[in-house]
Amino acid sequence: MTDHALRLLRQDAHLTELAAFPFDFDLRRADHGEPVRLASGGPLRPVAGDDTGGTYFVCADGSVLYADSEGSAGIIGSTVDEALEIMIGLPGWRDHLDLSPADGPEQILARVAETEEEFREDYGIDEARPELRAALGLSERSPVELIALLHTALLRTEPDFLLLNAEEGCAYDLLDRHPRPPLWEPVLAQGRADLAALRAGDRAVWDATAEDPVRRRLALRAAQFDRADGDPELLRHLLRHEAASSMTDELRLAAVLVGLRGHAEDLPLLHEVRETDFDTACGLSELPGRDADGAALLEWAEGLDESLFGTDPSDEPPSTWTELAADQGLAELARTALIRRLDEIEMDQSVLRSPGAPKALNASPLRALSREFEQLGDRGQALRAQRLYAVLQDTAWDRVSARLTQARLERETGQLARAGATLVALREILAFPADDSLRYWQGVNLGRFIAEEHYALARDLADANLLEEARAALVAADGIRGELSGAAATAVRELAEDVAERVEDPRNLG
């Protein structure tokens, strides 16, 4: 984690020129041209650019992130010194992004030699390279070693260094196209390790895994995709403990995995779990009766297994893995997958088409994305998903509900003017709904929530010393409250009085 070479470049004009030409690392080109940020929120410091419009950034851990002008980005070194070693040793490094150690020394050396020969026709790299290396104190490494360093760095880009357009929120493409492991592999790593220990009879792991809700869920998922004849006892153990979480997908999975053995003697346990609470009773309602035989139990389990589970992790809904990633604290892994999914939908809404109704768009994945982003604490991306979701709603009720959430997210991210505009659009739908789905909105929770959001905006505007806007929002809030039924209006009375006092007397702001 050193930028020794960078300091030397900044102190010596000749070295600055040499780095800029022929090695295209120009300290005078550090303006990227558009605002960018890391999805993780980590610091990002531009230090140089190249003659194609690309920019070199230094991240918090010293890693160098290169972003080109075409919307691609990637880590190219663990330090500035390492990145400069690669750029000086491989002046055509951008042409070698597809190479990896797996290609072998012969192919690597041949590709590099071919590229360098082209450079020699226009640039004096043979004279400049040893001079710059010596002045900066950089090692002379073989092209094979440099390709290995570059390849390792590129693979570190996601999830911790995902670059976003700061205004639009969409992600840059990966600079390289090397294959990455599917999301489920890192997410399931802990579950696979625990499953192996459970099978080995490690009693400490038996207790620790069963008592930890996240580890228990992961172990059950691992058992879903790696089934073994000797698992019944550990599956029963996990099933008993998972019942404490009420009706989860993993509880149903555990019941199915136990039932797939077709042992009628497991029915008393399954019914005990089923009777844990109302939700489990509903979720396992199709379970065969206590006096059923093993064949009936097996038929039930096989049916659910085929429709809900199976043995291929790539068939699982993406939300399974993003939620499990978030639950383990792998926030950036989850965030990266969610942003990539949202980008895909934003670029091509046809991915929302349902097989059974090819002309209709199913916008529910966008609502799910918005909720998952909120759970990660990323309201900016949640808002981005919610705005697209709101545009795709058909009924007046759904349009109002979607814009209500949109307005809340805008307010919570400090976009008070946009929140006000969204609530204006919401009120227009209430006034001219175009269908009868909103005919009872004044007497249900939706009406109450609409009023509360208007008052919340008025409060936040007042807190921001935007008193004229706050008073306008308060008038709109009172108008909504005036349309509510008695019970709904009463529910927001205290909030209305508090906000009115804050708006009308700025001394009460706090």
Side-chain angles (χ1 to χ4, degrees):
M1 292 179 62
T2 174
D3 58 359
H4 172 71
L6 185 59
R7 289 196 299 272
L8 292 176
L9 286 178
R10 286 172 169 164
Q11 294 166 5
D12 190 310
H14 173 64
L15 295 181
T16 298
E17 291 292 339
L18 205 57
F21 184 87
F23 300 106
D24 213 11
F25 184 82
D26 193 339
L27 300 180
R28 297 159 298 190
R29 294 178 180 266
D31 181 6
H32 188 56
E34 69 176 16
V36 293
R37 65 180 178 86
L38 291 178
S40 66
L44 198 62
R45 177 167 55 102
V47 295
D50 62 26
D51 61 8
T52 68
T55 309
Y56 299 93
F57 300 87
V58 177
C59 305
D61 69 342
S63 295
V64 176
L65 179 75
Y66 173 77
D68 67 22
S69 59
E70 303 300 319
S72 298
I75 296 293
I76 63 166
S78 60
T79 64
V80 175
D81 289 10
E82 182 178 284
L84 282 167
E85 285 183 351
I86 291 169
M87 286 183 275
I88 295 169
L90 300 171
W93 66 270
R94 296 176 196 82
D95 296 324
H96 302 321
L97 295 172
D98 61 321
L99 288 176
S100 76
D103 292 307
E106 183 176 350
Q107 182 176 344
I108 290 172
L109 291 172
R111 284 276 302 278
V112 171
E114 180 182 356
T115 302
E116 292 205 351
E117 193 58 39
E118 295 174 2
F119 268 80
R120 286 188 180 92
E121 295 178 4
D122 302 308
Y123 312 115
I125 60 171
D126 291 327
E127 297 79 18
R129 182 152 49 195
E131 179 184 356
L132 190 56
R133 273 179 177 152
L136 300 181
L138 301 178
S139 302
E140 181 177 354
R141 302 176 188 265
S142 73
V144 174
E145 187 176 359
L146 291 173
I147 288 296
L149 288 173
L150 178 59
H151 178 70
T152 299
L154 289 167
L155 292 181
R156 292 177 50 236
T157 304
E158 291 186 352
D160 294 324
F161 304 101
L162 180 67
L163 189 67
L164 305 181
N165 178 297
E167 294 178 346
E168 298 174 2
C170 54
Y172 275 54
D173 293 331
L174 286 171
L175 196 61
D176 68 282
R177 294 295 179 266
H178 294 299
R180 267 72 171 178
L183 178 61
W184 60 263
E185 283 194 10
V187 171
L188 267 190
Q190 177 67 58
R192 286 172 155 180
D194 282 340
L195 180 61
L198 289 167
R199 286 171 173 168
D202 187 330
R203 302 309 300 184
V205 175
W206 272 63
D207 293 336
T209 301
E211 293 169 6
D212 184 318
V214 175
R215 288 180 67 179
R216 187 172 64 236
R217 292 172 62 202
L218 289 167
L220 284 166
R221 288 294 178 178
Q224 175 185 350
F225 306 115
D226 178 14
R227 304 182 182 189
D229 292 338
D231 285 350
E233 186 56 34
L234 70 88
L235 291 173
R236 295 183 189 110
H237 183 64
L238 296 176
L239 172 62
R240 290 187 182 95
H241 284 78
E242 185 61 20
S245 296
S246 190
M247 193 61 240
T248 64
D249 288 339
E250 284 71 27
L251 179 67
R252 185 180 284 109
L253 170 61
V256 166
L257 293 176
V258 168
L260 284 173
R261 269 63 191 178
H263 297 158
E265 55 268 29
D266 283 322
L267 280 166
L269 169 62
L270 291 168
H271 276 275
E272 178 185 340
V273 168
R274 180 183 180 276
E275 294 165 4
T276 300
D277 55 29
F278 177 78
D279 289 337
T280 55
C282 294
L284 298 176
S285 61
E286 301 300 320
L287 183 69
R290 291 177 179 272
D291 57 350
D293 58 16
L297 176 59
L298 179 60
E299 181 181 2
W300 169 82
E302 287 179 337
L304 281 182
D305 189 34
E306 181 178 355
S307 62
L308 298 178
F309 301 112
T311 58
D312 187 347
S314 63
D315 289 339
E316 282 292 318
S319 60
T320 296
W321 306 122
T322 51
E323 290 173 7
L324 285 171
D327 288 344
Q328 293 180 77
L330 303 174
E332 296 315 313
L333 194 64
R335 192 195 316 273
T336 294
L338 292 171
I339 290 174
R340 291 295 189 196
R341 175 62 173 154
L342 179 54
D343 285 352
E344 179 188 15
I345 294 172
E346 197 168 56
M347 290 293 292
D348 181 11
Q349 293 182 17
S350 68
V351 300
L352 296 175
R353 297 194 186 282
S354 302
K359 294 184 179 181
L361 295 181
N362 174 19
S364 60
L366 287 165
R367 184 70 188 109
L369 283 169
S370 182
R371 287 171 176 155
E372 285 198 72
F373 279 124
E374 272 210 86
Q375 290 168 357
L376 285 176
D378 194 334
R379 288 189 175 90
Q381 292 291 346
L383 175 56
R384 183 177 158 222
Q386 185 66 27
R387 281 175 174 156
L388 184 52
Y389 174 76
V391 168
L392 296 176
Q393 298 312 297
D394 294 324
T395 70
W397 179 285
D398 289 341
R399 291 198 302 274
V400 165
S401 297
R403 281 163 177 76
L404 181 61
T405 300
Q406 177 183 330
R408 174 180 61 79
L409 289 168
E410 288 168 338
R411 176 177 57 80
E412 291 175 348
T413 54
Q415 302 177 51
L416 301 184
R418 296 192 73 167
T422 299
L423 289 180
V424 168
L426 184 155
R427 294 197 299 275
E428 290 177 353
I429 299 171
L430 291 178
F432 306 101
D435 61 45
D436 62 356
S437 60
L438 285 171
R439 61 187 180 278
Y440 300 126
W441 72 269
Q442 300 92 337
V444 296
N445 278 335
L446 178 62
R448 171 187 169 186
F449 296 153
I450 292 170
E452 288 175 342
E453 186 54 40
H454 278 76
Y455 283 119
L457 178 62
R459 179 197 61 215
D460 287 4
L461 286 165
D463 288 347
N465 204 33
L466 299 170
L467 298 182
E468 183 177 347
E469 293 87 344
R471 293 187 183 100
L474 180 60
V475 169
D478 287 340
I480 293 291
R481 181 172 174 243
E483 293 192 57
L484 299 182
S485 66
T490 300
V492 297
R493 182 179 60 191
E494 185 176 344
L495 174 63
E497 292 172 352
D498 176 67
V499 173
E501 184 177 1
R502 291 161 71 90
V503 171
E504 296 306 326
D505 187 351
R507 292 174 299 176
N508 292 321
L509 304 181

Short mmCIF file of all heavy atoms in Angstrom, two decimals, residues 47-101:
data_model
loop_
_atom_site.label_atom_id
_atom_site.label_comp_id
_atom_site.label_asym_id
_atom_site.label_seq_id
_atom_site.Cartn_x
_atom_site.Cartn_y
_atom_site.Cartn_z
N VAL A 47 -6.06 10.34 -9.98
CA VAL A 47 -4.66 10.74 -9.92
C VAL A 47 -4.06 10.97 -11.30
O VAL A 47 -3.06 11.69 -11.42
CB VAL A 47 -3.80 9.72 -9.14
CG1 VAL A 47 -4.22 9.67 -7.68
CG2 VAL A 47 -3.88 8.33 -9.78
N ALA A 48 -4.62 10.37 -12.34
CA ALA A 48 -4.04 10.50 -13.67
C ALA A 48 -5.07 10.08 -14.70
O ALA A 48 -6.14 9.55 -14.37
CB ALA A 48 -2.78 9.66 -13.79
N GLY A 49 -4.74 10.31 -15.97
CA GLY A 49 -5.59 9.88 -17.06
C GLY A 49 -4.76 9.47 -18.25
O GLY A 49 -3.52 9.50 -18.21
N ASP A 50 -5.43 9.08 -19.32
CA ASP A 50 -4.70 8.72 -20.54
C ASP A 50 -5.29 9.48 -21.73
O ASP A 50 -6.26 10.23 -21.58
CB ASP A 50 -4.71 7.21 -20.76
CG ASP A 50 -6.11 6.64 -20.95
OD1 ASP A 50 -7.02 7.38 -21.39
OD2 ASP A 50 -6.32 5.43 -20.67
N ASP A 51 -4.71 9.27 -22.90
CA ASP A 51 -5.13 10.06 -24.05
C ASP A 51 -6.40 9.54 -24.72
O ASP A 51 -6.83 10.07 -25.73
CB ASP A 51 -4.00 10.17 -25.07
CG ASP A 51 -3.57 8.82 -25.63
OD1 ASP A 51 -4.25 7.81 -25.35
OD2 ASP A 51 -2.55 8.78 -26.34
N THR A 52 -7.01 8.49 -24.15
CA THR A 52 -8.28 8.01 -24.68
C THR A 52 -9.47 8.47 -23.84
O THR A 52 -10.60 8.10 -24.11
CB THR A 52 -8.29 6.46 -24.74
OG1 THR A 52 -8.30 5.94 -23.40
CG2 THR A 52 -7.09 5.93 -25.50
N GLY A 53 -9.21 9.26 -22.80
CA GLY A 53 -10.28 9.71 -21.92
C GLY A 53 -10.45 8.85 -20.69
O GLY A 53 -11.37 9.08 -19.90
N GLY A 54 -9.60 7.85 -20.51
CA GLY A 54 -9.66 7.01 -19.32
C GLY A 54 -9.02 7.69 -18.13
O GLY A 54 -8.22 8.63 -18.27
N THR A 55 -9.36 7.23 -16.93
CA THR A 55 -8.89 7.85 -15.69
C THR A 55 -8.43 6.77 -14.71
O THR A 55 -9.04 5.70 -14.62
CB THR A 55 -10.01 8.67 -15.03
OG1 THR A 55 -10.56 9.57 -16.00
CG2 THR A 55 -9.49 9.48 -13.85
N TYR A 56 -7.36 7.09 -13.98
CA TYR A 56 -6.84 6.21 -12.93
C TYR A 56 -7.23 6.79 -11.58
O TYR A 56 -6.96 7.95 -11.29
CB TYR A 56 -5.33 6.10 -13.03
CG TYR A 56 -4.84 5.52 -14.34
CD1 TYR A 56 -4.51 6.34 -15.41
CD2 TYR A 56 -4.73 4.14 -14.51
CE1 TYR A 56 -4.07 5.81 -16.62
CE2 TYR A 56 -4.29 3.60 -15.71
CZ TYR A 56 -3.97 4.45 -16.77
OH TYR A 56 -3.54 3.91 -17.95
N PHE A 57 -7.89 5.96 -10.76
CA PHE A 57 -8.31 6.36 -9.42
C PHE A 57 -7.58 5.51 -8.38
O PHE A 57 -7.33 4.32 -8.61
CB PHE A 57 -9.81 6.16 -9.23
CG PHE A 57 -10.69 6.93 -10.17
CD1 PHE A 57 -11.04 6.42 -11.41
CD2 PHE A 57 -11.17 8.18 -9.80
CE1 PHE A 57 -11.87 7.12 -12.27
CE2 PHE A 57 -12.00 8.89 -10.67
CZ PHE A 57 -12.35 8.37 -11.89
N VAL A 58 -7.29 6.11 -7.23
CA VAL A 58 -6.75 5.35 -6.11
C VAL A 58 -7.86 5.16 -5.08
O VAL A 58 -8.53 6.12 -4.69
CB VAL A 58 -5.55 6.06 -5.48
CG1 VAL A 58 -5.05 5.29 -4.26
CG2 VAL A 58 -4.42 6.20 -6.50
N CYS A 59 -8.05 3.92 -4.65
CA CYS A 59 -9.11 3.57 -3.68
C CYS A 59 -8.54 3.58 -2.27
O CYS A 59 -7.34 3.78 -2.05
CB CYS A 59 -9.69 2.21 -4.03
SG CYS A 59 -10.31 2.09 -5.73
N ALA A 60 -9.40 3.35 -1.28
CA ALA A 60 -9.01 3.47 0.12
C ALA A 60 -7.86 2.54 0.49
O ALA A 60 -6.99 2.91 1.29
CB ALA A 60 -10.21 3.20 1.02
N ASP A 61 -7.82 1.34 -0.07
CA ASP A 61 -6.76 0.40 0.28
C ASP A 61 -5.52 0.54 -0.59
O ASP A 61 -4.60 -0.25 -0.50
CB ASP A 61 -7.28 -1.05 0.20
CG ASP A 61 -7.57 -1.49 -1.22
OD1 ASP A 61 -7.69 -0.61 -2.10
OD2 ASP A 61 -7.67 -2.71 -1.46
N GLY A 62 -5.51 1.57 -1.45
CA GLY A 62 -4.37 1.78 -2.33
C GLY A 62 -4.53 1.18 -3.70
O GLY A 62 -3.71 1.44 -4.59
N SER A 63 -5.55 0.36 -3.93
CA SER A 63 -5.77 -0.25 -5.23
C SER A 63 -6.03 0.83 -6.28
O SER A 63 -6.60 1.87 -5.99
CB SER A 63 -6.96 -1.21 -5.19
OG SER A 63 -6.70 -2.29 -4.33
N VAL A 64 -5.60 0.54 -7.51
CA VAL A 64 -5.80 1.47 -8.62
C VAL A 64 -6.93 0.97 -9.50
O VAL A 64 -6.89 -0.15 -10.02
CB VAL A 64 -4.51 1.63 -9.45
CG1 VAL A 64 -4.76 2.54 -10.66
CG2 VAL A 64 -3.39 2.21 -8.59
N LEU A 65 -7.94 1.80 -9.65
CA LEU A 65 -9.09 1.50 -10.49
C LEU A 65 -8.97 2.33 -11.76
O LEU A 65 -8.83 3.55 -11.71
CB LEU A 65 -10.39 1.85 -9.76
CG LEU A 65 -11.69 1.60 -10.53
CD1 LEU A 65 -12.00 0.11 -10.58
CD2 LEU A 65 -12.85 2.36 -9.89
N TYR A 66 -9.03 1.66 -12.90
CA TYR A 66 -9.00 2.36 -14.19
C TYR A 66 -10.40 2.35 -14.78
O TYR A 66 -11.05 1.30 -14.85
CB TYR A 66 -8.03 1.68 -15.16
CG TYR A 66 -8.07 2.26 -16.56
CD1 TYR A 66 -7.45 3.48 -16.83
CD2 TYR A 66 -8.76 1.62 -17.58
CE1 TYR A 66 -7.51 4.03 -18.11
CE2 TYR A 66 -8.81 2.16 -18.87
CZ TYR A 66 -8.19 3.37 -19.12
OH TYR A 66 -8.24 3.91 -20.39
N ALA A 67 -10.87 3.53 -15.19
CA ALA A 67 -12.17 3.65 -15.85
C ALA A 67 -11.96 4.25 -17.22
O ALA A 67 -11.36 5.33 -17.35
CB ALA A 67 -13.11 4.53 -15.02
N ASP A 68 -12.42 3.56 -18.26
CA ASP A 68 -12.25 4.11 -19.61
C ASP A 68 -13.40 5.04 -19.95
O ASP A 68 -14.32 5.25 -19.15
CB ASP A 68 -12.07 2.99 -20.64
CG ASP A 68 -13.32 2.13 -20.82
OD1 ASP A 68 -14.43 2.60 -20.51
OD2 ASP A 68 -13.18 0.98 -21.29
N SER A 69 -13.35 5.62 -21.12
CA SER A 69 -14.37 6.59 -21.53
C SER A 69 -15.60 5.92 -22.15
O SER A 69 -16.55 6.60 -22.52
CB SER A 69 -13.78 7.57 -22.54
OG SER A 69 -13.29 6.88 -23.68
N GLU A 70 -15.58 4.59 -22.24
CA GLU A 70 -16.68 3.84 -22.85
C GLU A 70 -17.58 3.17 -21.82
O GLU A 70 -18.47 2.39 -22.18
CB GLU A 70 -16.12 2.78 -23.80
CG GLU A 70 -15.23 3.33 -24.90
CD GLU A 70 -15.95 4.33 -25.79
OE1 GLU A 70 -17.13 4.07 -26.12
OE2 GLU A 70 -15.36 5.36 -26.13
N GLY A 71 -17.33 3.44 -20.53
CA GLY A 71 -18.20 2.88 -19.51
C GLY A 71 -17.77 1.56 -18.93
O GLY A 71 -18.59 0.79 -18.44
N SER A 72 -16.45 1.28 -18.96
CA SER A 72 -15.92 0.06 -18.35
C SER A 72 -14.87 0.44 -17.30
O SER A 72 -14.20 1.48 -17.43
CB SER A 72 -15.28 -0.85 -19.39
OG SER A 72 -16.23 -1.28 -20.34
N ALA A 73 -14.73 -0.38 -16.27
CA ALA A 73 -13.78 -0.08 -15.21
C ALA A 73 -13.27 -1.38 -14.59
O ALA A 73 -13.96 -2.40 -14.61
CB ALA A 73 -14.42 0.80 -14.13
N GLY A 74 -12.07 -1.31 -14.01
CA GLY A 74 -11.52 -2.48 -13.35
C GLY A 74 -10.28 -2.13 -12.55
O GLY A 74 -9.57 -1.15 -12.85
N ILE A 75 -10.01 -2.91 -11.52
CA ILE A 75 -8.78 -2.77 -10.74
C ILE A 75 -7.62 -3.29 -11.59
O ILE A 75 -7.69 -4.38 -12.15
CB ILE A 75 -8.87 -3.55 -9.42
CG1 ILE A 75 -9.96 -2.97 -8.53
CG2 ILE A 75 -7.53 -3.56 -8.69
CD1 ILE A 75 -9.68 -1.58 -8.01
N ILE A 76 -6.55 -2.51 -11.67
CA ILE A 76 -5.39 -2.95 -12.47
C ILE A 76 -4.13 -3.09 -11.63
O ILE A 76 -3.07 -3.42 -12.17
CB ILE A 76 -5.13 -2.00 -13.66
CG1 ILE A 76 -4.78 -0.60 -13.17
CG2 ILE A 76 -6.34 -1.97 -14.58
CD1 ILE A 76 -4.20 0.28 -14.26
N GLY A 77 -4.20 -2.85 -10.34
CA GLY A 77 -3.05 -3.04 -9.47
C GLY A 77 -3.43 -2.86 -8.02
O GLY A 77 -4.36 -2.09 -7.71
N SER A 78 -2.75 -3.55 -7.14
CA SER A 78 -3.07 -3.44 -5.72
C SER A 78 -2.49 -2.17 -5.10
O SER A 78 -2.88 -1.77 -4.01
CB SER A 78 -2.54 -4.66 -4.96
OG SER A 78 -1.14 -4.77 -5.11
N THR A 79 -1.52 -1.53 -5.80
CA THR A 79 -0.96 -0.25 -5.40
C THR A 79 -0.66 0.54 -6.66
O THR A 79 -0.65 0.00 -7.77
CB THR A 79 0.34 -0.41 -4.61
OG1 THR A 79 1.33 -1.01 -5.47
CG2 THR A 79 0.16 -1.29 -3.37
N VAL A 80 -0.35 1.84 -6.48
CA VAL A 80 0.05 2.63 -7.64
C VAL A 80 1.36 2.09 -8.20
O VAL A 80 1.54 2.01 -9.42
CB VAL A 80 0.20 4.12 -7.24
CG1 VAL A 80 0.75 4.93 -8.42
CG2 VAL A 80 -1.13 4.69 -6.79
N ASP A 81 2.27 1.70 -7.30
CA ASP A 81 3.55 1.15 -7.76
C ASP A 81 3.33 -0.08 -8.62
O ASP A 81 3.94 -0.23 -9.69
CB ASP A 81 4.44 0.79 -6.56
CG ASP A 81 4.95 2.03 -5.83
OD1 ASP A 81 4.48 3.14 -6.13
OD2 ASP A 81 5.83 1.88 -4.96
N GLU A 82 2.46 -0.99 -8.17
CA GLU A 82 2.20 -2.20 -8.95
C GLU A 82 1.54 -1.86 -10.27
O GLU A 82 1.89 -2.44 -11.32
CB GLU A 82 1.31 -3.15 -8.15
CG GLU A 82 1.04 -4.47 -8.86
CD GLU A 82 0.20 -5.41 -8.03
OE1 GLU A 82 0.75 -6.02 -7.08
OE2 GLU A 82 -1.02 -5.53 -8.30
N ALA A 83 0.59 -0.93 -10.26
CA ALA A 83 -0.07 -0.54 -11.51
C ALA A 83 0.93 0.05 -12.49
O ALA A 83 0.89 -0.24 -13.69
CB ALA A 83 -1.19 0.46 -11.21
N LEU A 84 1.87 0.86 -11.99
CA LEU A 84 2.89 1.44 -12.86
C LEU A 84 3.84 0.37 -13.39
O LEU A 84 4.28 0.43 -14.54
CB LEU A 84 3.66 2.53 -12.12
CG LEU A 84 2.93 3.87 -12.01
CD1 LEU A 84 3.61 4.78 -11.01
CD2 LEU A 84 2.84 4.55 -13.38
N GLU A 85 4.16 -0.61 -12.58
CA GLU A 85 4.98 -1.72 -13.06
C GLU A 85 4.31 -2.41 -14.24
O GLU A 85 4.96 -2.75 -15.23
CB GLU A 85 5.22 -2.74 -11.94
CG GLU A 85 6.22 -2.30 -10.90
CD GLU A 85 6.47 -3.38 -9.85
OE1 GLU A 85 5.73 -4.39 -9.86
OE2 GLU A 85 7.38 -3.20 -9.04
N ILE A 86 2.99 -2.58 -14.14
CA ILE A 86 2.24 -3.23 -15.22
C ILE A 86 2.20 -2.33 -16.45
O ILE A 86 2.44 -2.78 -17.58
CB ILE A 86 0.81 -3.56 -14.74
CG1 ILE A 86 0.87 -4.69 -13.69
CG2 ILE A 86 -0.08 -3.97 -15.91
CD1 ILE A 86 -0.44 -4.92 -12.96
N MET A 87 1.91 -1.04 -16.26
CA MET A 87 1.81 -0.13 -17.40
C MET A 87 3.15 0.06 -18.11
O MET A 87 3.20 0.17 -19.34
CB MET A 87 1.25 1.22 -16.94
CG MET A 87 -0.24 1.19 -16.62
SD MET A 87 -0.88 2.82 -16.15
CE MET A 87 -0.48 2.84 -14.41
N ILE A 88 4.23 0.11 -17.35
CA ILE A 88 5.55 0.28 -17.96
C ILE A 88 6.03 -1.02 -18.58
O ILE A 88 6.59 -1.03 -19.68
CB ILE A 88 6.55 0.80 -16.90
CG1 ILE A 88 6.13 2.20 -16.43
CG2 ILE A 88 7.97 0.81 -17.46
CD1 ILE A 88 6.89 2.68 -15.20
N GLY A 89 5.79 -2.12 -17.89
CA GLY A 89 6.23 -3.42 -18.41
C GLY A 89 5.36 -3.95 -19.54
O GLY A 89 5.83 -4.73 -20.37
N LEU A 90 4.08 -3.51 -19.55
CA LEU A 90 3.15 -3.92 -20.61
C LEU A 90 2.49 -2.67 -21.18
O LEU A 90 1.33 -2.37 -20.89
CB LEU A 90 2.06 -4.85 -20.05
CG LEU A 90 2.50 -6.17 -19.41
CD1 LEU A 90 1.30 -6.83 -18.72
CD2 LEU A 90 3.08 -7.10 -20.46
N PRO A 91 3.20 -1.90 -21.98
CA PRO A 91 2.61 -0.66 -22.49
C PRO A 91 1.33 -0.89 -23.30
O PRO A 91 0.52 0.03 -23.45
CB PRO A 91 3.72 -0.06 -23.36
CG PRO A 91 4.64 -1.19 -23.64
CD PRO A 91 4.57 -2.11 -22.47
N GLY A 92 1.10 -2.09 -23.76
CA GLY A 92 -0.16 -2.41 -24.44
C GLY A 92 -1.09 -3.21 -23.57
O GLY A 92 -1.85 -4.07 -24.06
N TRP A 93 -1.10 -2.92 -22.26
CA TRP A 93 -1.86 -3.74 -21.32
C TRP A 93 -3.35 -3.80 -21.65
O TRP A 93 -4.01 -4.80 -21.40
CB TRP A 93 -1.65 -3.24 -19.88
CG TRP A 93 -2.18 -1.87 -19.59
CD1 TRP A 93 -1.52 -0.69 -19.72
CD2 TRP A 93 -3.49 -1.55 -19.10
NE1 TRP A 93 -2.32 0.36 -19.36
CE2 TRP A 93 -3.54 -0.14 -18.97
CE3 TRP A 93 -4.61 -2.30 -18.77
CZ2 TRP A 93 -4.68 0.52 -18.52
CZ3 TRP A 93 -5.75 -1.65 -18.32
CH2 TRP A 93 -5.78 -0.26 -18.20
N ARG A 94 -3.89 -2.74 -22.23
CA ARG A 94 -5.33 -2.75 -22.57
C ARG A 94 -5.66 -3.82 -23.61
O ARG A 94 -6.80 -4.28 -23.70
CB ARG A 94 -5.77 -1.38 -23.08
CG ARG A 94 -5.66 -0.27 -22.05
CD ARG A 94 -6.03 1.07 -22.69
NE ARG A 94 -5.60 2.19 -21.90
CZ ARG A 94 -4.38 2.70 -21.90
NH1 ARG A 94 -3.44 2.15 -22.66
NH2 ARG A 94 -4.07 3.75 -21.15
N ASP A 95 -4.66 -4.19 -24.41
CA ASP A 95 -4.87 -5.24 -25.41
C ASP A 95 -4.70 -6.63 -24.84
O ASP A 95 -4.90 -7.63 -25.54
CB ASP A 95 -3.88 -5.06 -26.58
CG ASP A 95 -4.10 -3.75 -27.32
OD1 ASP A 95 -5.28 -3.35 -27.46
OD2 ASP A 95 -3.11 -3.15 -27.76
N HIS A 96 -4.33 -6.71 -23.57
CA HIS A 96 -4.07 -8.02 -22.95
C HIS A 96 -5.05 -8.34 -21.82
O HIS A 96 -4.78 -9.21 -20.99
CB HIS A 96 -2.63 -8.05 -22.40
CG HIS A 96 -1.58 -7.79 -23.43
ND1 HIS A 96 -1.65 -8.28 -24.72
CD2 HIS A 96 -0.43 -7.06 -23.38
CE1 HIS A 96 -0.60 -7.88 -25.41
NE2 HIS A 96 0.16 -7.14 -24.62
N LEU A 97 -6.18 -7.64 -21.79
CA LEU A 97 -7.15 -7.86 -20.71
C LEU A 97 -7.75 -9.26 -20.74
O LEU A 97 -8.28 -9.73 -19.74
CB LEU A 97 -8.26 -6.82 -20.79
CG LEU A 97 -7.83 -5.37 -20.55
CD1 LEU A 97 -8.98 -4.42 -20.86
CD2 LEU A 97 -7.37 -5.19 -19.10
N ASP A 98 -7.66 -9.91 -21.91
CA ASP A 98 -8.22 -11.25 -22.03
C ASP A 98 -7.24 -12.34 -21.63
O ASP A 98 -7.62 -13.51 -21.51
CB ASP A 98 -8.67 -11.50 -23.46
CG ASP A 98 -7.52 -11.41 -24.45
OD1 ASP A 98 -6.65 -10.52 -24.27
OD2 ASP A 98 -7.49 -12.20 -25.41
N LEU A 99 -5.98 -11.97 -21.40
CA LEU A 99 -4.97 -12.98 -21.06
C LEU A 99 -5.03 -13.32 -19.57
O LEU A 99 -5.39 -12.50 -18.73
CB LEU A 99 -3.57 -12.45 -21.40
CG LEU A 99 -3.19 -12.37 -22.88
CD1 LEU A 99 -1.82 -11.73 -23.04
CD2 LEU A 99 -3.24 -13.75 -23.52
N SER A 100 -4.64 -14.54 -19.26
CA SER A 100 -4.55 -14.99 -17.87
C SER A 100 -3.42 -16.02 -17.78
O SER A 100 -2.96 -16.53 -18.81
CB SER A 100 -5.87 -15.62 -17.42
OG SER A 100 -6.01 -16.92 -17.95
N PRO A 101 -2.97 -16.34 -16.58
CA PRO A 101 -1.93 -17.35 -16.44
C PRO A 101 -2.28 -18.68 -17.09
O PRO A 101 -1.39 -19.42 -17.50
CB PRO A 101 -1.77 -17.49 -14.92
CG PRO A 101 -2.18 -16.15 -14.39
CD PRO A 101 -3.28 -15.69 -15.28
#
